[in-house]
Amino acid sequence: MTENDPALRYTLEAVRSFRDGEIATAPRRELNDMARQIAQQYRGDGMSSNMVSGLLRIAEFLLLCAVGLGIRAVYVGKGPWLAWEYPAVIVSGSLLAVAFLNIAEAYQFRILSRPLQNIARLGLAWIAALGALATMGFLLKWSEDFSRVWFGSWFLGGFTAILLVRVIVSHFVKRWVRNGVIERRAVIVGGGPAAEMLIRSIEAQPYNDIRICGIFDDRDDRRSPPIVAGYPKLGTINELLEFARIAHIDMLIVSLPLTAESRVLTLLKKLWILPVDIRLSAHTHNLHFRPRSYSFIGQVPMLDIFDKPINDWDSVAKRIFDIVFSLFGIILFSPIMIATAIAIKLDSKGPILFRQKRHGFNNEEIEVLKFRSMYSEQCDPTAKQAVTKNDPRVTRVGRFIRKTSIDELPQFFNALLGSLSLVGPRPHAVSAQSHDTLFYEVVDGYFARHRVKPGVTGWAQISGWRGEIDSSDKIRMRTEYDLDYIENWSIWFDLKILFLTPIRLLRSENAY
């Protein structure tokens, strides 16, 4: 079977067509005692190797700049040592060094773990960076303005600094891997001989950061043994959904042949709603793909089916975005929030704020803050009865703040503290219903909207799908827009939604 094989093409296209709506939703099932006990051991979040390599890029850039400026400060030639020419060259050379180290794959986990075995790789990248800098200086005819002694000293000092930092980092990386600080938590989907071969192959890779947490398979013990390569079978695929949520699983590795097309698709239709990387093991497949078609765990090839959305540095950027704009929003709208609090207190008895349990990231329950808009004795924390036009439960102040979305302003504090994002799929109450049917029973793939943090505002809300949900079509459209947001997320997309929100909400006719 080759990459151009029609059957293979059809399989991969079918797998990726889930986002177009042909999705199955698996009910959540309770875990057995052993699976729950193992899941509880992994409740804390670890640090990914991508985050470590990203921080090292920043650290090495700053270190090379410091070495270059430090040598220049000691060896003072003509003119002031902080004249713009030297800092400009040092910054350029340091950026080139990080770029060439990246090209040389020097930030990959296996290289970080063995710096002394990769001295040649590090040296060639540093030589290439300064060589490119020197060539540029020669062509632009400004190389004669710089000290050769300084340049040579920076070459030796910079390489020594890189090597020293790498040795220190490798020491911590190995310790963090042993202690579980750096790890990618993986579950094997599918058992039997294929799973055993896959596990043995992964464990044979030195310095890999994969921690296998167990095996899940729908087949009985005759076809899928309860213990494979020392790892227990913890339950069925439906139980895996709950296990992955509790244990904060990072990756699912499906150990099934592509020829088992119908079974692969059935599994993936259930699993894609999880906020994890989903990989299809290719180590036993007789395929002839181009190298860039694979990702690798060590030398074990994988086919990428789905990636965890808004991961690693994207999540850092989004969190910074949330903190900055949440603080700005709190300061900007504080007079309105104070006035609203006073109005609520004068209008009716009860607390100013209303707290409601809603679905958050990875389907976990979170508590969302709102200004109280109903009479306190008639508040509905479960949201089983949707608010309708002229609803008698809503107070006079409540009608105004719901219409203008002022009741949502306390959620800036949720975003600042991290349970919400400023932009994302709007969180729904855990018992929210449409015509006495729970939302996740109405929409296939509903829980896929929880692969990212929910938001104070969202793509669906500014696109006209805000307010009362009085039909199945409305919740379907909301989910469709939420999934579109997840697939196409960027900081610029968040900015667009954030700045369009006040404009679009003023035109809203569906909020009561």
Side-chain angles (χ1 to χ4, degrees):
M1 184 180 287
T2 68
E3 192 172 6
N4 294 320
D5 188 283
L8 175 59
R9 257 197 338 268
Y10 172 79
T11 300
L12 295 178
E13 287 172 2
V15 165
R16 295 185 173 97
S17 72
F18 298 154
R19 63 192 60 148
D20 295 329
E22 299 174 7
I23 306 159
T25 302
R28 179 187 293 181
R29 292 196 180 170
E30 288 298 319
L31 297 174
N32 60 64
D33 291 340
M34 179 175 66
R36 184 168 294 279
Q37 184 177 1
I38 292 174
Q40 293 288 348
Q41 296 175 1
Y42 296 105
R43 286 191 69 88
D45 287 321
M47 181 186 298
S48 73
S49 56
N50 288 336
M51 291 293 289
V52 173
S53 62
L55 291 172
L56 182 59
R57 287 177 174 91
I58 296 171
E60 286 186 335
F61 166 74
L62 295 175
L63 179 63
L64 290 172
C65 288
V67 171
L69 290 173
I71 293 172
R72 176 59 181 153
V74 173
Y75 179 76
V76 179
K78 295 179 181 179
W81 74 275
L82 272 179
W84 70 269
E85 294 92 343
Y86 273 90
V89 168
I90 289 168
V91 169
S92 300
S94 300
L95 286 172
L96 284 171
V98 172
F100 277 105
L101 286 167
N102 192 63
I103 292 170
E105 299 183 341
Y107 292 106
Q108 289 196 7
F109 194 74
R110 69 179 191 277
I111 307 300
L112 295 182
S113 303
R114 297 183 293 173
L116 296 180
Q117 290 86 344
N118 289 278
I119 289 179
R121 183 191 300 264
L122 301 176
L124 286 173
W126 181 230
I127 290 170
L130 293 193
L133 190 66
T135 302
M136 191 185 307
F138 173 77
L139 294 175
L140 297 176
K141 297 182 179 180
W142 44 252
S143 58
E144 61 271 13
D145 297 331
F146 292 87
S147 165
R148 273 63 172 171
V149 173
W150 167 80
F151 194 78
S153 299
W154 189 35
F155 171 76
L156 295 174
F159 181 69
T160 302
I162 291 173
L163 190 58
L164 181 61
V165 166
R166 294 280 175 141
V167 170
I168 295 172
V169 167
S170 70
H171 169 75
F172 282 102
V173 162
K174 291 173 184 176
R175 189 166 72 179
W176 289 339
V177 169
R178 286 196 302 269
N179 297 340
V181 176
I182 297 178
E183 63 181 11
R184 284 183 290 169
R185 297 168 188 170
V187 163
I188 307 298
V189 180
E196 181 174 6
M197 188 179 301
L198 171 63
I199 292 170
R200 300 293 187 200
S201 299
I202 292 174
E203 290 184 334
Q205 306 302 314
Y207 308 111
N208 85 77
D209 60 338
I210 297 294
R211 183 184 293 270
I212 298 173
C213 300
I215 299 168
F216 285 81
D217 198 344
D218 282 336
R219 295 174 296 177
D220 60 31
D221 290 349
R222 291 174 300 173
R223 299 179 61 195
S224 176
I227 302 290
V228 176
Y231 293 92
K233 184 172 69 175
L234 299 177
T236 64
I237 304 305
N238 287 345
E239 292 167 332
L240 169 56
L241 302 179
E242 178 70 1
F243 182 87
R245 184 185 68 81
I246 297 174
H248 294 186
I249 294 300
D250 299 301
M251 180 184 296
L252 304 180
I253 305 176
V254 180
S255 178
L256 293 173
L258 275 176
T259 50
E261 178 185 309
S262 60
R263 189 165 172 232
V264 170
L265 291 177
T266 299
L267 287 175
L268 294 176
K269 284 179 180 180
K270 295 180 179 181
L271 298 176
W272 86 285
I273 66 175
L274 293 170
V276 299
D277 295 327
I278 299 181
R279 304 289 181 254
L280 184 61
S281 169
H283 77 293
T284 60
H285 298 163
N286 192 21
L287 303 177
H288 302 286
F289 282 12
R290 294 187 296 270
R292 67 173 179 269
S293 300
Y294 298 108
S295 62
F296 290 86
I297 298 174
Q299 300 299 315
V300 181
M302 302 281 172
L303 290 173
D304 297 350
I305 304 301
F306 293 111
D307 290 324
K308 181 178 180 179
I310 315 182
N311 197 20
D312 291 331
W313 286 101
D314 285 341
S315 65
V316 173
K318 189 168 175 63
R319 183 68 187 127
I320 293 171
F321 178 94
D322 288 341
I323 292 172
V324 171
F325 283 94
S326 293
L327 286 171
F328 178 76
I330 290 169
I331 294 169
L332 179 65
F333 294 109
S334 57
I336 297 176
M337 287 193 276
I338 292 170
T340 302
I342 295 171
I344 290 171
K345 204 65 180 173
L346 293 175
D347 184 50
S348 62
K349 295 179 181 179
I352 293 169
L353 293 177
F354 173 65
R355 302 171 186 271
Q356 188 177 55
K357 296 289 186 182
R358 298 193 178 190
H359 284 301
F361 171 69
N362 205 11
N363 213 28
E364 295 179 349
E365 287 188 6
I366 60 173
E367 189 174 72
V368 171
L369 300 174
K370 297 181 68 174
F371 281 123
R372 180 175 59 85
S373 59
M374 294 184 179
Y375 294 102
S376 58
E377 66 275 8
Q378 294 179 299
C379 286
D380 180 16
T382 63
K384 287 184 178 180
Q385 183 180 349
V387 176
T388 58
K389 192 172 184 178
N390 299 320
D391 196 313
R393 297 175 298 165
V394 180
T395 66
R396 289 175 300 171
V397 171
R399 285 193 177 88
F400 176 75
I401 64 175
R402 290 178 72 92
K403 183 69 176 178
T404 56
S405 290
I406 290 174
D407 64 324
E408 310 281 0
L409 291 181
Q411 289 169 31
F412 278 115
F413 292 97
N414 283 112
L416 182 63
L417 295 174
S419 58
L420 291 182
S421 182
L422 271 182
V423 182
R426 284 291 293 148
H428 295 150
V430 293
S431 300
Q433 298 181 354
S434 173
H435 296 296
D436 298 324
T437 305
L438 294 170
F439 284 171
Y440 71 83
E441 296 173 338
V442 174
V443 183
D444 286 341
Y446 171 81
F447 287 121
R449 64 195 300 277
H450 301 149
R451 289 185 294 160
V452 300
K453 277 186 185 180
V456 177
T457 184
W459 183 225
Q461 279 61 44
I462 70 164
S463 300
W465 301 102
R466 172 180 176 257
E468 181 184 7
I469 301 176
D470 54 4
S471 69
S472 298
D473 286 340
K474 286 185 178 180
I475 185 57
R476 288 193 185 96
M477 290 305 298
R478 276 197 184 187
T479 303
E480 183 177 324
Y481 273 87
D482 290 338
L483 298 182
D484 181 64
Y485 166 79
I486 293 170
E487 293 293 333
N488 297 288
W489 174 84
S490 70
I491 287 291
W492 300 113
F493 197 9
D494 274 4
L495 280 170
K496 173 184 175 180
I497 293 171
L498 193 62
F499 287 113
L500 283 177
T501 294
I503 300 171
R504 299 291 174 83
L505 293 188
L506 289 175
R507 303 176 188 171
S508 177
E509 299 178 355
N510 301 320
Y512 309 127

